[in-house]
Each structure stands twice: as structure tokens, then as C-alpha cells.
Amino acid sequence: MNYTPEQKAKWERVIALIQENLDGPSFNAWFRPLQLYAISGDKIYIVSNNSFTLRHMQERYGSMLISTMDMVFDRKYNPEFHTVEEIAAIDEKLSASTLNANYTFDNFVVGDSNSFAYAAAVAVAESPSESYNPLFIYGGVGLGKTHLMNAVGNFVMKRDPSKNVLLMTSETIANQLIEGIARKNTSELRARLRGVDYLMVDDIQFLAKTKATQEEFFNTFNDLRENHKQIIISSDRPPKEIPEIEERLRSRFEWGLIVDIQKPDFETRVAILKQKALEDSIDVPYEVLEYIARNVNTNIRALEGSLTSLHARSRLMGTPITMDLAAAALSGLVKERQERRVTCELIIDIVAQRYGMQSADLTGKRRSQDIALARQVAMYICRELTELSTTAIGKAFGRDHTTVLHGCEKIEDGMDADYALRKKVEELMRAVKED
Ligand code: ADP
Ligand code: MG
């Protein structure tokens, strides 16, 4: 949807007011064919399936429509009229630079996995800040990066509609630049990028197309930052790990604040599902929400997808959503999960990765302090999460069972004394279980 329910209601109010003030035949001829298609920035896109009456309506009643809109809406909108045949063109225009009105701070569920990113986004939405510029948000697919950026944009626009907010994927920017270069006209895009108060570039990892796009973006970045305009960037990984990006650009990404979004924990997943069910008026028992949350833990898009397909199934079959229905609908997912066994190898891989080491470091001979700690953590987790004997665990690490026992004891003691270590181990165990 390209407008909010409130905007839609206001548009209907506009049309109702016009109907009150026109005779029936005129209203039917000129206004009945009109439909609200989208609202974006200060533009309201109206489509009609009758190009002839559309033209005449504009000439005769355009100013009446505008003045009625001014009365009803709490901000100034400029109408743009199109025939239904032109919808593709509108979509293109919209997708190049629009905010999704459905993604707001209000409907962003905050949990441990995203609270830092959320707080940072709210901070820059409230006031652009030197120290958070750029704000760099990274995290896996479907974890809420695009949602947060839209939320910033919607917040800013709502508070001050005169603000200029641009949200684009880096791919769109790169493509438009390449197009501009081919037509020997990059000034239009340049002016557009530099004329903003907030520039939000989604999925920056796709910027890298050509040297020219990086160069252009580099200059835009500097220009905006010098002029105290806020820049927000999202990526599926931290700046360091985007190989195709030039060093000078990468280092600029690190000037501001870098925040990450992790996979949501169980409670957050339940909360997200609960909200989604509420938003879409889906009637779901709480135990079903928990069931989905327990079984779908890859990302939030998948979580929402499961609820949506469950809802579709219940409507098709004309039955309410129950545990049985959920179990049937999600059986594929659940089976896959049960078949995946937790092994020492898996644990070693995950622990090594989280400590920024190679798996071979944990099974090898080296005894440096950080490697020894990671190794002991991995041993401890093996004992907690597998049914294996300490001898079998030892084997996976190329060590005997006394080393495993000793390692597990060290971690148990360590966790009692050191809260950070406890958190770390708990987080790792969660990662192992959920991977
Ligand atoms: P990303 O850009 O990181 O791939 P999106 O922002 O597109 O992910 O999020 C995927 C879906 O999950 C969207 O429908 C979004 O609204 C929803 N979502 C993500 N995080 C949250 C959250 N914390 N609360 C509510 N919905 C969320
Ligand atoms: Mg995204």
C-alpha cells in the first residue's frame, strides 16, 4: 500500500465533501472515476480509468479539489493525475525514492537484538548529529534494516514535511548514475542527492559497480557531511567486510556510529508475531504464536511469512487458526529443524567464528590465552548441548577427557565470577541452537 489508512480516510473525506457540493451527474462524470493511488512526499497520485474526463476534471475542478484537500489534510499536497495505463510509470517513480508508510518506529518491536540500532535511529531522527554521522546499520537479511530507515524518514517527514528525505538502495543510485553518465548528464541526480536533509542508502554493499559510482558517492558523502546533513547507511555486514568498497569510502563509513541488528530472541519473535497478528487482525491463539516463534528463527521476514501463510490456509479451509492447523502448515519447517543435529564440529565452527578465529585454531595446538578461552568455551558448550561423553568431545578437539573436564570447570567458575563471560556463553549457546 502506498498510503496510510489515515491518509486514505482523509482522501475519502475530500471526495465526500465534493460530492456534497456538486450535483449528482457532475460528480459521477468527474470524480467517480478517480482513485487515490499513492501519497509520497508532497505528492498525491490520483489515477482515473478515463483519460478524457480526467483532463476536463483538472481544468474545471482542479482548484476545487486542491482547496478541499487543503482543508482536510493537515499538510499541503500537490495532486498528480494519471490514467491507469500510467501506473507502471508511477510505480517506478515511487520505488526510486519513497518511504514505505507502513514502516514506523511505532510498529518496530524492540528487543535485545535490535535495541541499540533502534535507539540510534531514533536519535538521528530527532536530531541529526555530528557524532552519529553517518549512522551505519548492519545485519542479516530480513532483520529490520529497511524498516528502521523508513521509520526515520517517516518520523522526520511527519514532524516537518518541508524536510527533504531520500531513501534509495545503493543499486538504484548506481544504476541512475551509470545512466546519467551514459547520457552525459549526472547533474540532475547529483543535485537530488545533495539537496537532501537525510540521505539514506539501503544495502550499500551493492554500490560497488564502478569506480565512477564510488567516486560520485564519495563526493556526495563529503558534501552532505560538511553541510551537517544526516547520512544513514545499511548493509548486510560491517564496513570492514565489504570488499569491493574503496578504502577512503570505507573509512568514512567508520567515522560515525556503527550499530548492528542481531537475530531476535524468542521473546522478541513472539512480540513481533503478536503485533503482526494485531495489525492484520488475524485471530491467533497465543500458543500458536509461541509455536511459530519457536520453530521459525531465521529472520523476521520468514516469521511474518509463516503467519501469513497460516492465515491464508485458515481462510481457504474456513477453519480458525489452531495448534493442529499450525502444526500441519509448518510441518516442513519443524521437520527440518529436528533433523539438524548439534555436533561438536558445528559448535567449534560457530564459536571460532564468533571469536574471529579459525575452527582449526580450536582443535590445534596453540595455547595463546584467547584461543585457550575460546576452546574451553566450545568444550563447555559441547558438554551442555550434546549427549556426547567427555572422551568423545575430547576427540573432536584432539585432546583427552581430563582436558575437557578441566576446561568445563574453568568456564563454569568463570561464568560465576564474570557476567560478561556468562552473557557471551549464553549467546553462543543460543546461536548454536538456532543456527
Ligand atoms: P532487512 O532490510 O534487514 O532485510 P526489513 O526491514 O525489510 O529487513 O524487515 C523484514 C520484515 O520484517 C519487514 O516486514 C519488517 O517490517 C519486519 N520487521 C523487521 N524487524 C522488525 C521489528 N523489530 N518489529 C516489527 N517488524 C519488524
Ligand atoms: Mg532491506
Side-chain angles (χ1 to χ4, degrees):
M1 219 189 337
N2 298 312
Y3 42 75
T4 63
E6 298 86 70
Q7 289 173 326
K8 170 83 174 164
K10 290 210 163 123
W11 168 255
E12 277 162 4
R13 177 95 193 104
V14 168
I15 294 298
L17 279 172
I18 290 173
Q19 189 167 17
E20 280 170 23
N21 288 299
L22 270 186
D23 60 281
S26 303
F27 178 81
N28 287 339
W30 310 116
F31 285 93
R32 188 107 26 219
L34 301 186
Q35 264 187 36
L36 173 64
Y37 184 72
I39 297 181
S40 164
D42 69 342
K43 284 241 167 63
I44 181 157
Y45 295 87
I46 296 158
V47 297
S48 164
N49 52 17
N50 186 329
S51 60
F52 175 75
T53 59
L54 185 60
R55 213 170 44 244
H56 284 263
M57 190 285 299
Q58 277 174 263
E59 281 162 13
R60 281 206 197 180
Y61 295 106
S63 54
M64 170 182 181
L65 178 63
I66 292 176
S67 58
T68 314
M69 283 185 352
D70 288 348
M71 255 162 58
V72 174
F73 285 97
D74 38 26
R75 63 165 287 185
K76 174 93 193 140
Y77 284 114
N78 297 309
E80 215 183 277
F81 301 95
H82 292 273
T83 62
V84 282
E85 288 80 25
E86 291 162 349
I87 278 182
I90 308 178
D91 281 342
E92 197 172 322
K93 223 169 167 176
L94 287 173
S95 69
S97 68
T98 36
L99 298 172
N100 181 334
N102 296 316
Y103 290 165
T104 62
F105 286 133
D106 290 338
N107 64 14
F108 189 85
V109 175
V110 183
D112 282 351
S113 55
N114 59 25
S115 58
F116 190 32
Y118 172 81
V122 170
V124 298
E126 281 175 345
S127 63
S129 143
E130 200 87 338
S131 47
Y132 295 174
N133 205 6
L135 174 61
F136 191 103
I137 305 172
Y138 75 89
V141 71
L143 295 182
K145 303 181 295 295
T146 301
H147 186 136
L148 264 188
M149 288 181 136
N150 276 287
V152 171
N154 287 320
F155 180 95
V156 171
M157 292 302 296
K158 188 163 177 199
R159 201 172 52 176
D160 181 357
S162 71
K163 282 274 187 274
N164 215 332
V165 172
L166 189 60
L167 169 59
M168 277 172 122
T169 67
S170 68
E171 213 172 5
T172 309
I173 294 184
N175 287 342
Q176 294 194 356
L177 261 171
I178 290 167
E179 222 174 84
I181 292 167
R183 281 190 281 107
K184 303 205 178 350
N185 176 15
T186 48
S187 51
E188 203 178 299
L189 178 64
R190 185 173 300 164
R192 198 150 140 245
L193 292 178
R194 296 192 189 180
V196 301
D197 299 293
Y198 285 74
L199 177 64
M200 299 185 271
V201 184
D202 206 0
D203 291 322
I204 194 81
Q205 69 270 17
F206 299 122
L207 179 70
K209 293 223 161 140
T210 68
K211 218 173 147 46
T213 54
Q214 294 212 18
E215 170 83 23
E216 188 63 42
F217 188 71
F218 180 75
N219 293 329
T220 299
F221 184 102
N222 291 337
D223 189 82
L224 288 173
R225 207 169 174 281
E226 263 162 37
N227 289 301
H228 308 285
K229 307 299 187 188
Q230 180 70 44
I231 302 160
I232 308 178
I233 296 168
S234 85
S235 171
D236 62 351
R237 62 201 102 156
K240 266 199 236 12
E241 291 171 23
I242 313 175
E244 300 84 5
I245 287 200
E246 287 175 30
E247 192 47 43
R248 57 178 185 163
L249 204 46
R250 188 201 321 278
S251 69
R252 272 171 175 67
F253 293 165
E254 290 170 348
W255 276 358
L257 180 66
I258 302 181
V259 295
D260 68 336
I261 303 188
Q262 298 283 336
K263 283 192 201 169
D265 56 25
F266 177 72
E267 280 71 30
T268 310
R269 295 201 295 276
V270 174
I272 288 170
L273 284 170
K274 213 158 110 187
Q275 176 184 283
K276 173 92 181 152
L278 197 70
E279 250 172 40
D280 296 353
S281 313
I282 308 177
D283 202 3
V284 208
Y286 193 74
E287 58 169 353
V288 172
L289 295 182
E290 286 196 333
Y291 176 79
I292 300 174
R294 208 172 302 116
N295 288 293
V296 182
N297 51 23
T298 45
N299 69 52
I300 295 167
R301 205 185 315 258
L303 204 60
E304 293 183 344
S306 305
L307 182 61
T308 309
S309 72
L310 186 57
H311 185 212
R313 190 183 269 240
S314 105
R315 267 187 317 189
L316 281 173
M317 298 173 49
T319 55
I321 296 179
T322 59
M323 267 308 274
D324 285 346
L325 190 75
L330 302 181
S331 61
L333 283 166
V334 177
K335 189 148 154 277
E336 203 176 296
R337 234 174 94 80
Q338 280 166 350
E339 278 168 6
R340 206 207 51 242
R341 277 182 45 236
V342 174
T343 61
C344 293
E345 287 68 33
L346 176 73
I347 292 169
I348 290 170
D349 286 347
I350 290 176
V351 172
Q353 191 210 349
R354 296 290 172 109
Y355 275 95
M357 298 169 186
Q358 303 294 322
S359 303
D361 292 334
L362 302 196
T363 55
K365 294 268 168 282
R366 285 168 57 196
R367 284 162 190 278
S368 70
Q369 216 173 357
D370 50 341
I371 291 183
L373 175 68
R375 186 181 291 140
Q376 288 168 342
V377 165
M379 286 174 175
Y380 172 83
I381 295 176
C382 285
R383 213 183 50 171
E384 290 291 308
L385 297 185
T386 72
E387 305 286 318
L388 298 169
S389 65
T390 44
T391 312
I393 293 171
K395 225 165 153 186
F397 289 84
R399 285 167 166 78
D400 63 17
H401 80 280
T402 54
T403 312
V404 176
L405 277 176
H406 172 72
C408 292
E409 268 166 28
K410 293 257 326 211
I411 297 303
E412 271 160 21
D413 293 346
M415 282 178 22
D416 286 341
D418 180 353
Y419 180 71
L421 179 65
R422 169 175 296 275
K423 286 296 274 187
K424 176 101 191 171
V425 173
E426 283 171 0
E427 190 206 309
L428 282 165
M429 300 221 304
R430 212 160 36 230
V432 169
K433 280 191 275 187
E434 294 187 351
D435 192 62

